[in-house]
Amino acid sequence: MEILGNKLAYRTYRHTKVNEVTIDLPEIKPQAFPLESTGSFEDRPELEGYTYGVAQEALDLNRTQGNVYRKYLADKGQVKASQTIHLTTSDDCPQLLDTHDIIVEEGGKLSLVLSYKDQGQVEKFRNSLIRIIAKKAAEVNVYIIQKEDRSMSLESVVVLAEERAKVRLRQYEMGALKNYMNTQVELLGQEADVDIKSIYFGHEEDQLNILYHVNHHKPKTKANLVINGALMDQSQKNLKTTLDFKEGSGGSQGSEEEYTVLLDDSVLNISVPVLLSHEDDIAGNHAASSGEIDADLLFYLKSRGIDHQLAESLIVESKYASTIDLLKDQEEKDAIWEYFRNKMNKR
């Protein structure tokens, strides 16, 4: 089935080919997944009226054919211990259609790590829906880790943040043959605050198509997006980021920054930063930069006896380090570094 995904909310010229992406979905034959569900798929009334996700067809697949559904709750004022959930596709179970509802009531705190990887030889398919609902003064920390080699992955994240809620979203996208990510944030209450730190790594013939869209609805809301990436071999990346200050969001702040290291001339790198405002009293900033590794820095490292390949790796690691260090799960942190270094060693 062919669908259109990651549609840019405010379309630009067709010839730029950034308004949407065509996704050729495989035949869906989900089977029982090793991770136990905590219930059946639930429609969330809080999300009615909002557009989110890679594509509506992807959301419908999880509603009708999902094979994992899990809910994580923190009641009013409750502090939940951090959990790490491992989701691994295999040749025996190559399709994962998983939905995760993260709901934190007023003043509650919750942290969750979702770790995805694949194993085996056949191509895998993953369609993930992650819904984060942070009520008044809630604090939510979500870490999404992706270390897939032979997968088509669709990853839809939606965040609703009410008054004074704080959401910290960390995303580590380290592979996948075809990776489609969509993150939609709705800052619904005054002083709602979202902080997104993300890294991506394209290698071999990986294709990454990534979209972030943040809507500021109320006064004094805050959004900060920092994205660091690296591309090598024949990998391709298309990233679209939008900060949209709606009418009534005066006094709000938003910043979006992306930095990409290009390790080979054969990569394709596209970035589309968008800043929209219906208010005068806002502070909005956006920046996107890309380029090869600094030749002087590379020469300096090599002059200290470090070989070329390791020097390149160290420079990219310096870009990733601040985001990876935010992970509290040391095992997952080590696994990300190991995955990256193994790929770099194949250069």
Side-chain angles (χ1 to χ4, degrees), residues 46 103-107 133-138 160 162-163 165:
E46 302 97 326
I103 303 170
V104 183
E105 299 293 341
E106 181 178 346
I133 298 173
K135 301 294 182 66
K136 181 178 179 180
L160 301 186
E162 296 184 3
E163 181 182 348

Side-chain angles (χ1 to χ4, degrees), residues 91 114 134 233 277 283 285 318:
D91 290 349
L114 298 174
D233 302 324
S277 180
N285 301 284
S318 71

Side-chain angles (χ1 to χ4, degrees), residues 19 32 40 48 65 206 220 230 232 252 281 320 328-329 335:
N19 287 321
S40 300
E48 289 183 9
Q65 300 187 62
D206 289 351
K220 299 181 180 179
M232 71 180 196
S252 295
D281 181 24
Y320 287 163
K328 301 296 188 293
D329 188 319

Side-chain angles (χ1 to χ4, degrees), residues 23-302:
I23 305 171
D24 189 10
L25 295 178
E27 184 179 1
I28 305 300
K29 295 181 178 179
Q31 59 194 88
F33 196 78
L35 179 67
E36 184 179 359
S37 294
T38 60
S40 300
F41 185 95
E42 298 180 10
D43 288 314
R44 301 239 59 88
E46 302 97 326
L47 291 165
E48 289 183 9
Y50 297 107
T51 301
Y52 60 94
V54 172
Q56 184 60 50
E57 293 89 342
L59 304 183
D60 292 340
L61 280 176
N62 278 25
R63 179 179 293 107
T64 59
Q65 300 187 62
N67 56 0
V68 170
Y69 174 80
R70 295 180 68 87
K71 187 189 293 184
Y72 314 86
L73 301 175
D75 293 330
K76 184 175 181 179
Q78 184 180 22
V79 179
K80 298 294 288 287
S82 179
Q83 295 184 67
T84 297
I85 308 298
H86 297 277
L87 302 107
T88 303
T89 49
S90 65
D91 290 349
D92 293 330
C93 190
Q95 294 191 346
L96 170 62
L97 289 78
D98 59 311
T99 298
H100 304 267
D101 281 343
I102 303 158
I103 303 170
V104 183
E105 299 293 341
E106 181 178 346
K109 298 181 180 181
L110 185 150
S111 294
L112 177 68
V113 180
L114 298 174
S115 180
Y116 296 95
K117 67 177 182 179
D118 58 18
Q119 58 186 22
Q121 300 304 311
V122 304
E123 290 191 11
K124 313 300 190 298
F125 174 76
R126 172 170 70 90
N127 186 42
S128 300
L129 172 59
I130 300 160
R131 303 185 290 193
I132 303 169
I133 298 173
K135 301 294 182 66
K136 181 178 179 180
E139 295 185 17
V140 188
N141 300 291
V142 177
Y143 305 81
I144 304 170
I145 304 167
Q146 184 266 107
K147 306 184 301 293
E148 296 166 315
D149 283 317
R150 302 188 59 80
S151 296
M152 171 187 281
S153 296
L154 281 65
E155 189 173 287
S156 301
V157 180
V158 58
V159 177
L160 301 186
E162 296 184 3
E163 181 182 348
R164 292 188 285 111
K166 294 182 179 180
V167 177
R168 303 293 177 254
L169 178 62
R170 317 306 185 194
Q171 295 166 291
Y172 308 86
E173 302 293 331
M174 304 306 292
L177 293 172
K178 295 182 179 179
N179 188 7
Y180 306 94
M181 291 172 54
N182 184 296
T183 300
Q184 180 83 15
V185 178
E186 306 290 344
L187 298 173
L188 301 177
Q190 185 166 319
E191 297 184 41
D193 182 345
V194 64
D195 183 82
I196 297 174
K197 300 287 194 305
S198 174
I199 63 173
Y200 62 82
F201 180 43
H203 47 86
E204 299 178 4
E205 296 182 352
D206 289 351
Q207 298 179 32
L208 295 85
N209 193 284
I210 306 169
L211 184 147
Y212 288 93
H213 192 117
V214 179
N215 287 318
H216 296 256
H217 293 278
K218 295 295 183 178
K220 299 181 180 179
T221 55
K222 185 177 181 180
N224 183 49
L225 286 73
V226 178
I227 305 163
N228 281 288
L231 301 172
M232 71 180 196
D233 302 324
Q234 291 79 44
S235 59
Q236 302 179 20
K237 181 226 75 183
N238 183 313
L239 170 67
K240 295 170 278 195
T241 56
T242 300
L243 294 177
D244 192 349
F245 296 89
K246 303 291 188 182
E247 185 175 350
S249 64
S252 295
Q253 302 176 42
S255 175
E256 50 185 344
E257 304 173 36
E258 188 221 353
Y259 306 96
T260 311
V261 178
L262 308 179
L263 295 168
D264 290 294
D265 293 336
S266 50
V267 302
L268 176 62
N269 177 53
I270 298 174
S271 297
V272 185
V274 179
L275 182 62
L276 305 167
S277 180
H278 302 268
E279 288 284 348
D280 295 327
D281 181 24
I282 60 98
N285 301 284
H286 64 82
S289 66
S290 62
E292 299 177 355
I293 284 179
D294 185 283
D296 292 337
L297 180 56
L298 193 61
F299 175 79
Y300 174 83
L301 292 173
K302 292 169 70 173

